[in-house]
Amino acid sequence: MNGKIRVLIVDDSASVRQTMATILGEDPAIEVIGTAADPFSAAKRIQEQVPDVITLDVEMPRMDGITFLRKLMVQCPVPVVMCSSLTENGSDTLLQAMEAGAVDVILKPRVGVTDHLAEHHLQIRDVVKAAARARVRGRPGKPLPKLDAPAKKLTADAMLPPPDNRPMSRTTEMVVCMGASTGGTEALREVLEALPANSPGIVIVQHMPEHFTRAFAQRLNGLCEVDVKEAVDGDPVLRGQVLIAPGGRHTMLERQGARYYVSVRDGPLVSRHRPSVDVLFRSAARAAGSNAVGIIMTGMGDDGARGLLEMRQAGARTFAQDEASSVVFGMPKEAIARDAAERVIALAHIASELLAAATR
């Protein structure tokens, strides 16, 4: 054992298998132990050596990826990252994959796929590393090798200046900002399903690709008493409504008088993400101050940790999800280490704590 993350790549495209193997194999923390063109070949590979992570395509011959995923979660639970060319029309399929046990998703275009994957190599490696730490049906998280970051990460300074922390005038309504990544789709569902229809306005950044966020919002809207929609530039933040930041664009909180609205903008990757939790949280510190509640949830990396500290310093109530209920205890851990969270709470209690803090 060399301590590396062992990855099995399952995809019916030979060019995708080769590109993914090259991208992952060039990271010193990752070892590609094999590739497979379909689930049957993958099953044989798994019998020979159980990987730490599987990247799995959806559309394949002989058996589709969702069916294989469900069988895998019953027989041999392994962290799975779905890698699919499905875009907006297939987003519901990928949401089914998350419900079936996949921990994250990588989207690929139908044209120019190898160039696209190569361009997003850092994000792909980060997703696989996050998956290796994920708790899958009781599977303990795997510690990762300590490595220097392969490239400098931009902070929220790339989108807006730091808050000046001047006292913010009180408003009638409170606003809640939440951030999550790996494991966040199901965690957010659990929180939002527990909220009543008259809950305070909520803005959420969940690390997701473009198109996926719209389907995610639509799914939640059908499950929750609160209204859930993908944020559009200029949307007001209203009681009883949840705005999900669209994939591929940053979402920021703005204030006009006593009313809040969101600004959806293009921009560079911040903390290697777009949308970035740090950007949302910093904007909340600037626009809302003590009128805000910040909650950071399950996910790998440190996106949101700095922003949550800025929110706390501006007078906001701030919370972090605890380790036991997090799929990946990365983002909350970093926030806690920075003393950004005034309290650490279990997933099951986030909804009630959110309501109590927002109605103080």
Side-chain angles (χ1 to χ4, degrees), residues 95-349:
L95 287 171
Q96 292 177 31
M98 305 296 277
E99 292 175 349
V103 298
D104 216 328
V105 57
I106 298 169
L107 292 187
K108 57 189 182 185
R110 292 190 179 277
V111 179
V113 60
T114 55
D115 290 339
H116 173 85
L117 293 174
E119 181 182 352
H120 293 82
H121 64 282
L122 291 178
Q123 292 171 275
I124 292 170
R125 292 168 186 167
D126 283 347
V127 166
V128 168
K129 290 176 183 178
R133 279 184 169 161
R135 293 179 174 89
V136 179
R137 304 285 174 88
R139 177 183 181 273
K142 176 187 174 113
L144 297 181
K146 296 291 185 181
L147 293 171
D148 294 331
K152 181 180 179 180
K153 292 193 293 186
L154 294 179
T155 69
D157 291 341
M159 291 300 298
L160 69 171
D164 55 23
N165 291 336
R166 288 179 294 182
M168 188 73 64
S169 60
R170 295 303 299 270
T171 60
T172 302
E173 297 290 348
M174 299 287 287
V175 60
V176 178
C177 293
M178 305 174 68
S181 188
T182 310
T185 54
E186 289 303 292
L188 287 168
R189 177 193 57 76
E190 182 172 332
V191 173
L192 298 184
E193 279 188 318
L195 295 177
N198 66 341
S199 296
I202 300 174
V203 184
I204 294 174
V205 165
Q206 161 70 45
H207 294 158
M208 283 184 174
E210 191 176 358
H211 303 305
F212 196 32
T213 45
R214 183 177 296 112
F216 179 53
Q218 291 171 347
R219 169 178 170 258
L220 290 176
N221 191 53
L223 297 172
C224 304
E225 291 188 32
V226 290
D227 292 327
V228 186
K229 68 182 292 286
E230 185 182 56
V232 175
D233 187 49
D235 272 346
V237 180
L238 303 173
R239 178 169 286 273
Q241 181 171 270
V242 177
L243 299 176
I244 306 288
R249 304 189 75 191
H250 292 298
T251 295
M252 289 168 280
L253 186 71
E254 305 278 359
R255 178 176 174 179
Q256 187 173 41
R259 302 180 68 86
Y260 296 100
Y261 64 96
V262 293
S263 174
V264 178
R265 303 182 197 171
D266 295 323
L269 298 177
V270 172
S271 297
R272 298 210 185 101
H273 295 285
R274 185 177 55 239
S276 164
V277 183
D278 267 328
V279 170
L280 173 63
F281 283 178
R282 172 173 286 189
S283 71
R286 287 171 51 85
S290 61
N291 298 300
V293 177
I295 304 172
I296 193 165
M297 298 173 64
T298 176
M300 183 176 174
D302 62 1
D303 187 29
R306 298 177 186 86
L308 193 70
L309 178 59
E310 291 172 349
M311 287 187 70
R312 187 175 189 185
Q313 292 170 338
R317 302 292 304 278
T318 58
F319 304 98
Q321 185 178 348
D322 70 357
E323 182 174 9
S325 64
S326 295
V327 172
V328 178
F329 190 55
M331 288 160 50
K333 181 179 180 180
E334 289 293 330
I336 294 166
R338 295 171 185 264
D339 199 29
E342 64 177 83
R343 288 189 58 196
V344 180
I345 53 181
L347 175 62
H349 300 147

